[in-house]
């Protein structure tokens, strides 16, 4: 239908006014809120509640598609590994942060590379060849599904311009459908975002996505419970819709580096000591893997326990990034059942990079569980221009390790030599193998290793470890791919910088007996650790009641280096707590968001967040508002 110029101008002005009004309303909500609102809409298009888990690879693929993604099998396998059993809503949110939707421009750019005629079409035969033989290969059936789309095919040619348009439109429709479903279903909207009948009209105009989920060896940016009833979900909501809220404000000075009240190491030089090293490894999904230890004390004694980042060899003038990572050690007493460990203490005091505890422990077996908040051990977004060289051929044409790679291997040796004796035992080597390959080296293979590489006292020397890696390079005829798999799994980037790991060292000194410590596991944060954190915060933190029935309590623990909040839900129903840190100053939290929300299951408690100063040399202010969403 034709329109007059006047009506077009009027319509244009009206659209402009509506657009400006819409933009003004949207500006009331942060990008974080918009993102998580999209996530929520997508997730609830598949599941009845965000407390439900993704339980199969097929469900993962479905929620990703509902979120407007079109994941390849490779992408799905990246997040659903053989070790994965479930993924929760937070896992899904983290996947969506990394798996962005492809834009039309990006798609066109990819097709232009294979359009030799530059006419906007690709022959079906050429399309089959590209999709079934290059990159992540598609099946013939999958390609047939594309070529049978009437809108994108013409006389045996594939119209990729039309395909890109259809692809983007379909993704947008998925997100729109998810949002419409959420807006229409008042019960769902109340459940997930609070009762917003009066205030949510503008919400319908904000972009929204659908469900997706995730896990590999398993994560979330926080050491809060990730599976089971106590899982969290970052759910933004308008504070106006909350029926109850409390505000906590704590002004902190510059972080103290010393504590004169605690016994200093030089006063325990005559005590008997034990030491072990370990490492925090940051997974792609943000989960933190670390060693767990069993500690034996023969008799009742005063003990002095410390943990600090391990200072490896450094290039002159460059500071290792992991030295600023916070560390802690929780001491749990083993009872009849390992499922019921008793929290004894944790390294609360600080001296520079070291965290420590001194006290009396009875004889028996204890578990030592290392912990870092995740505030500072995070993926670093850094542009790397070139890949470091690992091997080269010498004058005789023989493969050799580069100086830079040797230096990295020497640091790795220090990191995996847990007892610090300068040699690798089979147990120590197997921690390395489990981390890098997922498999163990058996006794027979270890005997072969000892026959071919330098050993001492039946343990592998540093030179033997170097030669073993050189042999791996020779087996691959100089291809460094497998070597990079090892390096990346140990926290190195392609510039040979350790940016996703934090090696540490634990020392235990006892006044009356010889303590013993042994690394037992290498795994993600356990329920025992989460319980220990919650209990320590409840025992030492301040409590504030969030609702009139005194069933929802927020506990806040403060030290000079971190603040941790825990939420306890004593009621028979799950609750949703909106968390707002926007008024905090010079702070960083483990979630990486200023506004988020958590679901707390009935009769449970969970870690809400950890907060630390962004710059320790400056004052920092923690200002957090917890609001109950009805």
């Amino acid at each position: 239908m034709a329109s007059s110029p006047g009506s077009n101008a009027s319509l244009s002005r009206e659209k402009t006014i509506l657009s400006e009004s819409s933009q003004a309303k949207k500006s009331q909500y942060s990008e974080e809120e918009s993102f998580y609102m999209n996530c929520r809409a997508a997730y609830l298009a598949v599941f009845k509640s965000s407390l439900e888990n993704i339980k199969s690879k097929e469900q993962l693929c479905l929620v990703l598609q509902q979120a407007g993604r079109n994941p390849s099998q490779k992408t799905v396998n990246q997040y659903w590994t053989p070790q994965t059993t479930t993924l929760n809503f937070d896992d899904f949110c983290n996947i969506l942060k990394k798996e962005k939707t492809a834009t039309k421009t990006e798609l066109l750019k990819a097709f232009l590379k294979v359009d030799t005629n530059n006419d906007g079409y690709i022959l079906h035969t050429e399309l089959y060849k590209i999709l079934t033989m290059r990159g992540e290969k598609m099946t013939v059936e999958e390609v047939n599904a594309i070529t049978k789309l009437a809108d994108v095919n013409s006389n045996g040619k594939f119209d990729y311009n039309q395909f890109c348009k259809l692809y983007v439109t379909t993704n947008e429709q998925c997100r729109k459908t998810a949002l419409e479903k959420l807006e229409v279903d008042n019960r769902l909207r109340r459940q997930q975002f609070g009762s917003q009948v009066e205030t949510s009209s503008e919400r319908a105009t904000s972009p929204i996505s659908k469900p997706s989920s995730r896990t590999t060896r398993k994560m979330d940016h926080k050491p809060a419970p990730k599976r089971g009833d106590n899982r969290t979900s970052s759910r933004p909501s308008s504070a106006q819709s909350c029926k109850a809220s409390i505000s906590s404000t704590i002004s902190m000075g510059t972080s103290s580096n010393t504590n004169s009240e605690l016994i200093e190491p030089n006063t325990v030089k005559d005590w008997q000591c034990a030491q072990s090293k370990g490492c925090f490894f940051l997974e792609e999904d943000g989960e933190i893997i670390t060693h767990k230890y069993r500690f034996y004390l023969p008799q009742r004694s005063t003990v002095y326990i410390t943990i600090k980042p391990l200072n490896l060899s450094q290039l002159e003038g460059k500071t290792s990034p992991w030295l600023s990572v916070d560390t802690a050690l929780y001491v749990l007493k083993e009872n009849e059942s390992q499922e019921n460990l008793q929290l004894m203490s944790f390294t609360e005091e600080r001296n520079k990079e070291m965290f420590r505890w001194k006290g009396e422990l009875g004889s028996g077996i204890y578990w030592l569980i290392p912990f870092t908040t995740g505030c500072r051990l995070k993926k670093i977004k850094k542009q790397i221009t070139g890949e470091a060289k690992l091997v080269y051929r010498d004058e005789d044409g023989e493969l050799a390790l580069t100086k830079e790679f040797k230096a990295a291997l020497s640091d790795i040796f220090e990191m995996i030599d847990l007892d610090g004796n300068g040699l690798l035992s089979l147990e120590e080597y197997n921690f390395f193998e489990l981390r890098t390959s997922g498999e163990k080296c058996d006794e027979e293979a270890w005997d072969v290793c000892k026959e071919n590489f330098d050993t001492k006292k039946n343990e592998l020397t540093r030179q033997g470890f170097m030669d073993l890696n050189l042999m791996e390079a020779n087996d691959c005829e100089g291809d460094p791919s497998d070597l990079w798999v090892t390096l990346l799994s140990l926290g190195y980037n392609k510039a040979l910088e350790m940016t996703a790991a934090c090696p540490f060292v634990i020392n235990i000194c006892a006044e009356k007996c010889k303590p013993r410590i042994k690394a037992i596991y290498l795994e993600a944060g356990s329920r025992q650790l989460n319980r220990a954190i919650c209990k320590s915060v409840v025992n030492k933190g301040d409590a504030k009641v969030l609702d009139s029935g005194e069933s929802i309590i927020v506990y806040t623990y403060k030290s000079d280096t971190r603040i941790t909040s825990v939420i306890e839900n004593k009621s028979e129903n799950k609750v949703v707590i909106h968390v707002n840190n926007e008024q905090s100053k010079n702070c960083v939290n483990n979630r990486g968001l200023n506004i988020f929300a958590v679901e707390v299951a009935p009769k449970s408690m969970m870690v809400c967040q950890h907060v630390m100063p962004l710059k320790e040399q400056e004052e920092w202010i923690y200002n957090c508002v917890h609001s109950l969403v009805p």
Side-chain angles (χ1 to χ4, degrees), residues 64-95:
L64 285 172
Q65 290 171 341
Q66 289 294 324
R69 274 53 167 180
N70 188 27
S72 65
Q73 196 59 47
K74 180 179 179 181
T75 298
V76 174
N77 290 337
Q78 177 185 347
Y79 298 106
W80 193 278
T81 70
Q83 291 77 35
T84 304
T85 56
T86 60
L87 293 173
N88 61 34
F89 176 73
D90 274 349
D91 296 332
F92 159 70
C93 294
N94 283 302
I95 292 176

Side-chain angles (χ1 to χ4, degrees), residues 268-375:
V268 298
K269 60 181 182 298
D270 296 328
W271 293 12
Q272 298 185 72
C273 299
Q275 182 187 93
S276 184
K277 288 181 280 188
C279 192
F280 296 111
F281 296 109
L282 182 62
E283 299 283 67
E284 279 297 323
D285 58 10
E287 181 181 49
I288 296 175
I289 307 292
T290 189
H291 296 77
K292 309 292 169 63
Y293 304 83
R294 185 172 278 168
F295 152 47
Y296 174 63
L297 195 65
Q299 68 182 80
R300 177 174 290 276
S301 175
T302 300
V303 296
Y304 178 79
I305 301 174
T306 67
I307 181 172
K308 66 177 181 178
L310 181 64
N311 193 2
L312 299 174
S313 61
Q314 303 173 47
L315 295 176
E316 187 175 351
K318 292 186 70 175
T319 303
S320 298
W322 66 84
L323 293 181
S324 64
V325 172
D326 59 289
T327 59
L329 200 62
Y330 283 81
V331 183
L332 308 178
K333 181 73 164 61
E334 184 173 295
N335 298 317
E336 300 77 24
S337 170
Q338 290 187 20
E339 288 298 312
N340 187 28
L341 302 181
Q342 179 185 358
L343 173 65
M344 303 301 294
S345 61
F346 67 101
T347 53
E348 186 176 13
E349 306 291 347
R350 181 192 185 194
N351 182 7
K352 297 182 180 180
E353 294 90 12
M354 179 189 293
F355 286 81
R356 56 199 186 170
W357 176 82
K358 174 183 172 284
E360 188 173 88
L361 294 175
S363 63
I365 297 174
Y366 298 83
W367 283 88
L368 300 180
I369 307 182
F371 164 70
T372 183
T373 62
C375 293

Side-chain angles (χ1 to χ4, degrees), residues 175-303:
R175 291 193 290 271
K176 182 179 178 182
T177 301
L179 176 58
E180 288 173 349
K181 179 179 178 181
L182 190 67
E183 285 298 317
V184 168
D185 193 331
N186 288 329
R187 180 188 60 80
L188 268 182
R189 188 172 63 206
R190 286 196 304 271
Q191 173 192 337
Q192 303 305 332
F193 299 105
S195 182
Q196 301 174 13
V197 177
E198 297 81 16
T199 61
S200 66
S201 59
E202 64 267 31
R203 292 281 193 177
T205 64
S206 60
I208 292 206
S209 278
K210 270 191 182 182
S212 202
S213 144
R214 130 255 143 237
T215 175
T216 67
R217 294 179 194 160
K218 191 355 300 152
M219 166 217 163
D220 219 286
H221 293 312
K222 51 241 161 222
K226 301 179 184 73
R227 292 197 177 95
D229 288 338
N230 290 348
R231 73 190 146 274
T232 70
S233 62
S234 303
R235 99 189 22 263
S237 166
S238 63
Q240 294 90 334
S241 69
C242 302
K243 68 177 183 181
S245 65
I246 56 174
S247 176
S248 298
T249 302
I250 304 174
S251 296
M252 306 288 290
T254 57
S255 294
S256 172
N257 286 331
T258 61
N259 189 304
S260 58
E261 296 179 2
L262 192 67
I263 187 171
E264 292 299 328
N266 59 358
T267 66
V268 298
K269 60 181 182 298
D270 296 328
W271 293 12
Q272 298 185 72
C273 299
Q275 182 187 93
S276 184
K277 288 181 280 188
C279 192
F280 296 111
F281 296 109
L282 182 62
E283 299 283 67
E284 279 297 323
D285 58 10
E287 181 181 49
I288 296 175
I289 307 292
T290 189
H291 296 77
K292 309 292 169 63
Y293 304 83
R294 185 172 278 168
F295 152 47
Y296 174 63
L297 195 65
Q299 68 182 80
R300 177 174 290 276
S301 175
T302 300
V303 296

Side-chain angles (χ1 to χ4, degrees), residues 312 405 407-417 424 432 465 486-487 490 492 498:
L312 299 174
F405 187 32
L409 287 175
S410 181
D411 284 350
I412 291 170
F413 185 90
E414 287 292 330
M415 186 167 63
I416 63 179
D417 175 21
L424 292 184
F432 167 77
F465 182 68
T486 296
L487 289 165
L490 294 174
Y492 284 84
M498 189 191 294

